[in-house]
Amino acid sequence: MGTDAVRRHDPALKGFASDNYAGVHPEILEAIALANGGHQVAYGDDVYTSALRNVFRRHFGERAEAYPVFNGTGANVVSLRAMCQPWESVVCADTAHVHVDEGGAPEVVGSLKLHTVRTPDGKLTPDLVGTQAWGFGDVHRAQPRVVSITNATELGTVYTPAEIAALTGHAHARGMVVHVDGARLCNAAAALDVPLRALTTDVGVDVVSFGGTKLGLMLGEAVVVLNPDAVRGLPYIRKTSMQLASKMRFVSAQFEALLGGDLWLRNARNANTMAARLAEKAGGLPHVTLTRRPQANAVFATLPGEVADRVRKDFPFYTWNQETGEVRWMCSFDTTEEDVDAFVAALAEG
């Protein structure tokens, strides 16, 4: 019998709203198909999840343990719950995804107190962490335990290894641990031309929420524990956070395809390269002003509201700051030069 499935969208349509808008990379779809058929043990005791341990250890070191989950919010909440006791707190930037864009999930699901810090560029420094990392031993204050950073950040900036090392040294000296929201960690590594461990294991990071969906997976992220002493009860927390997949082989097979070779790097480099092309071409238009120097796959700009409203009818993108009119354009693993040029041509019409 044939299928009743129908295509309900134009596959040629590309936007610049989010790298989550992109579809699934063909090599990832192939990996899912190869993992299909027959039976495998559920809940992570399958051969694909078993093989994934060595894949992650090649990138993050011999102590790394990876725990696949469904999505980025789940990865962050599971990570932070495992790193904190109920009376402890998380220090993060006020632009951090865990604070702004997760619907209060860290508070609702994780019962976590977030101590936020205003930053000029989305990046924490030891001095900025110090504005919230105080009151140790004071029973009246939630005890600062985790420093959570995002790389690449929500403002498109990238932490260097030296900057992260300074943060981890500062945190560890105060009995704190460090979490990286790595939804776009691959983009950061590609931008700096360094291996993934250079931004994590080698500079003292304890736990990483490793992103896959924005880089071409159908679904799936992973909690990667680099320092087992930094977490407690993570397998149980993953389950009680509703992030334990029964058919985990299909998540794990995707990560093996992404990280087993250079697909992660190819995809990240393409997204970054297209963002640089977009910034160069759009930045030359008289009515477009770039507000931040692009460092990974995000471009921030201002332009007349009527132009933005007209162009986004064909090329979706978001207004980042309603007060200033700043917009954000995201490039993806499947963004092409032709996509960028067509978008810039639409912007140029004014």
Side-chain angles (χ1 to χ4, degrees):
M1 295 180 61
T3 177
D4 292 328
V6 295
R7 172 171 278 160
R8 300 188 182 277
H9 78 293
D10 179 0
L13 177 65
K14 300 283 187 68
F16 293 84
S18 171
D19 32 9
N20 279 326
Y21 277 39
V24 183
H25 193 280
E27 294 179 37
I28 300 298
L29 283 175
E30 182 181 0
I32 294 172
L34 287 172
N36 199 24
H39 288 200
Q40 277 288 301
V41 182
Y43 301 109
D45 291 325
D46 59 90
V47 294
Y48 295 92
T49 304
S50 177
L52 196 61
R53 171 180 294 177
N54 290 331
V55 173
F56 270 96
R57 285 182 173 178
R58 287 204 301 270
H59 288 282
F60 292 98
E62 287 303 312
R63 290 208 304 168
E65 291 287 350
Y67 299 84
V69 296
F70 288 112
N71 54 37
T73 298
N76 284 335
V77 170
V78 169
S79 296
L80 296 175
R81 283 189 69 194
M83 299 172 82
C84 281
Q85 295 294 327
W87 57 87
E88 294 174 329
S89 65
V90 178
V91 178
C92 63
D94 63 353
T95 52
H97 200 278
V98 294
H99 173 57
V100 177
D101 291 306
E102 291 182 344
E107 295 93 338
V108 173
V109 178
S111 299
L112 295 164
K113 170 65 177 177
L114 303 180
H115 285 128
T116 62
V117 180
R118 184 177 297 276
T119 73
D121 56 1
K123 294 162 68 173
L124 293 177
T125 65
D127 286 345
L128 288 174
V129 169
T131 65
Q132 289 286 18
W134 54 271
F136 297 100
D138 182 351
V139 72
H140 300 286
R141 178 171 170 81
Q143 296 294 283
R145 172 61 177 168
V146 180
V147 175
S148 181
I149 66 174
T150 312
N151 203 17
T153 74
E154 290 75 14
L155 298 183
T157 49
V158 171
Y159 284 93
T160 65
E163 289 171 328
I164 300 173
L167 280 167
T168 59
H170 181 84
H172 292 161
R174 287 154 181 78
M176 301 176 71
V177 289
V178 177
H179 164 258
V180 171
D181 180 343
R184 298 185 178 96
L185 182 64
C186 293
N187 298 93
L192 297 173
D193 195 24
V194 298
L196 295 169
R197 64 176 297 149
L199 296 172
T200 54
T201 313
D202 294 347
V203 287
V205 169
D206 297 289
V207 179
V208 178
S209 297
F210 185 79
T213 309
K214 291 178 172 63
L215 214 59
L217 269 61
M218 179 179 291
L219 61 88
E221 318 285 305
V223 175
V224 186
V225 177
L226 307 178
N227 173 17
D229 295 331
V231 298
R232 292 182 62 186
L234 199 148
Y236 307 102
I237 290 171
R238 178 173 60 169
K239 176 64 174 177
T240 59
S241 299
M242 297 171 285
Q243 290 291 320
L244 180 65
S246 57
K247 297 185 180 181
M248 196 182 295
R249 61 168 149 160
F250 298 107
V251 180
S252 299
Q254 294 178 79
F255 274 116
E256 187 172 9
L258 183 71
L259 295 171
D262 67 346
L263 181 59
W264 70 273
L265 187 56
R266 284 187 278 129
N267 285 359
R269 279 178 173 168
N270 182 76
N272 292 357
T273 300
M274 292 304 102
R277 181 184 184 91
L278 175 56
E280 178 183 2
K281 290 181 172 290
L285 299 176
H287 55 281
V288 173
T289 301
L290 299 183
T291 55
R292 310 175 196 277
R293 182 177 67 85
Q295 296 182 23
N297 64 321
V299 179
F300 291 82
T302 57
L303 68 163
E306 62 273 15
V307 176
D309 291 340
R310 175 183 57 78
V311 173
R312 64 163 48 102
K313 293 178 181 178
D314 296 318
F315 299 92
F317 60 88
Y318 291 119
T319 297
W320 180 260
N321 187 321
Q322 295 291 342
E323 294 183 0
T324 64
E326 184 180 34
V327 301
R328 186 192 72 169
W329 299 324
M330 296 299 304
C331 292
S332 307
F333 76 88
D334 63 347
T335 304
T336 66
E337 293 183 355
E338 291 75 17
D339 296 330
V340 171
D341 294 348
F343 182 48
V344 172
L347 291 170
E349 293 178 11

